[in-house]
């Protein structure tokens, strides 16, 4: 029997195959050949087989099937949902400013567990952001860590972190371009948030063993 994961991925793959891939290539200026479309997501290279829609990720030994649900859904969404030649506004906002309805869960519910992991590990978190090709930013809010991180080469997000103390818990804030919904569905931004935080967490925790 297929898992819910497999069903969701197959549904998204089927939808992907209904779209004009030449339009995808043109609007996002993708690298492509006769067999694959190529995208870089958080400094990892992925390819989508044009005939089947299957997503693969490049590892040291070559490309292998990608089993990360968040990644697969982000890639399908940017390819299928994004508007024709989407353009960034250059103005940043919180997630709540982008939501169409008020039924979505607050971002703090997702970020709080990661904030506890990052607490007391400022230098390691700083290094993890740099590993994702992040550009360090100064901020009037005096965040302990603040980086603009390229999700895709053409679409960045801003990650901010304030460490906790006896009075306040650690806090994470992600800022999004005001035109983000021209690139991705609102629900997919939660996948983006989860994937970015998981990548940072893995890097920070791995550094504990070095």
């Amino acid at each position: 029997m297929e898992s819910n994961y497999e069903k969701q991925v197959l549904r998204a793959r089927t939808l992907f195959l209904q779209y004009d891939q030449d339009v995808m290539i043109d609007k996002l200026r993708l690298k492509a050949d006769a067999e694959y479309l190529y995208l870089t997501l958080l400094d990892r290279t992925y390819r989508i087989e044009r005939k089947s829609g299957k997503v693969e990720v490049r590892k040291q030994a070559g490309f292998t099937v990608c089993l990360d649900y968040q990644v697969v859904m982000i890639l399908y969404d940017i390819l299928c949902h994004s508007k024709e030649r989407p353009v960034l506004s250059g103005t940043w906002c919180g997630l709540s400013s982008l939501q169409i309805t008020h039924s979505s869960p607050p971002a703090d519910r997702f970020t709080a567990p990661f904030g506890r992991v990052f607490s007391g590990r400022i230098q390691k978190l700083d290094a993890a952001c740099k590993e994702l090709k992040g550009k360090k930013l100064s901020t009037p809010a005096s965040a302990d860590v603040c980086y603009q991180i390229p999700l895709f080469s053409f679409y960045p997000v801003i990650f901010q972190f304030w460490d906790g103390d006896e009075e306040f818990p650690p806090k994470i804030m992600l800022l999004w371009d005001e035109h983000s919904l021209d690139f991705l569905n609102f629900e997919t931004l939660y996948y983006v948030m989860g994937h970015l935080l998981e990548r940072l967490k893995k890097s920070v925790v791995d550094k504990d063993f070095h």
Side-chain angles (χ1 to χ4, degrees):
M1 293 180 63
E2 292 179 340
S3 67
N4 285 334
Y5 163 82
E6 291 170 326
K7 289 178 182 177
Q8 295 267 13
V9 169
L10 288 174
R11 190 177 298 120
R13 186 183 297 175
T14 300
L15 183 65
F16 163 81
L17 292 172
Q18 295 173 7
Y19 282 77
D20 187 329
Q21 295 177 17
D22 289 331
V23 171
M24 297 177 186
I25 294 167
D26 179 66
K27 70 180 180 179
L28 298 175
R29 298 172 177 83
L30 300 180
K31 178 184 175 184
D33 54 35
E35 294 185 76
Y36 297 98
L37 307 180
Y38 299 88
L39 276 165
T40 299
L41 172 63
L42 286 182
D43 202 36
R44 285 182 181 167
T45 300
Y46 298 85
R47 69 183 187 184
I48 298 90
E49 189 175 46
R50 302 184 67 167
K51 184 180 292 186
S52 69
K54 182 175 63 178
V55 177
E56 299 178 339
V57 58
R58 184 163 65 190
K59 300 288 183 68
Q60 288 184 342
F63 281 94
T64 184
V65 175
C66 178
L67 299 177
D68 188 316
Y69 177 75
Q70 290 180 329
V71 166
V72 170
M73 300 308 287
I74 292 168
L75 294 180
Y76 284 145
D77 197 47
I78 194 80
L79 291 169
C80 298
H81 168 78
S82 54
K83 293 185 177 180
E84 184 178 353
R85 294 292 180 94
V87 177
L88 297 170
S89 71
T91 300
W92 300 94
C93 64
L95 189 63
S96 60
S97 297
L98 295 172
Q99 65 184 8
I100 300 170
T101 68
H102 294 284
S103 59
S104 301
D108 289 351
R109 182 184 301 178
F110 294 89
T111 60
F114 293 94
R116 292 190 288 271
V117 172
F118 299 151
S119 185
R121 293 163 159 162
I122 298 298
Q123 290 185 335
K124 292 175 183 177
L125 180 58
D126 193 88
C129 290
K130 289 177 181 176
E131 287 177 0
L132 294 181
K133 309 301 182 186
K135 175 185 176 183
K136 194 165 189 173
L137 303 175
S138 59
T139 168
S142 301
D144 294 295
V145 178
C146 184
Y147 277 83
Q148 180 174 309
I149 298 175
L151 181 71
F152 299 99
S153 61
F154 50 83
Y155 178 80
V157 296
I158 289 180
F159 170 84
Q160 296 177 320
F161 176 74
W162 292 262
D163 207 353
D165 55 28
E166 296 88 356
E167 190 175 357
F168 298 103
K171 178 183 177 181
I172 292 171
M173 179 176 287
L174 290 178
L175 297 179
W176 311 83
D177 188 90
E178 282 191 342
H179 288 178
S180 287
L181 300 188
D182 290 349
F183 292 83
L184 295 159
N185 279 299
F186 178 76
E187 293 77 8
T188 307
L189 300 183
Y190 282 89
Y191 293 141
V192 171
M193 181 164 54
H195 182 57
L196 171 59
L197 294 176
E198 288 288 354
R199 287 287 305 275
L200 290 173
K201 175 183 174 181
K202 185 178 187 308
S203 181
V204 167
V205 172
D206 282 352
K207 292 179 192 313
D208 285 341
F209 299 97
H210 291 85

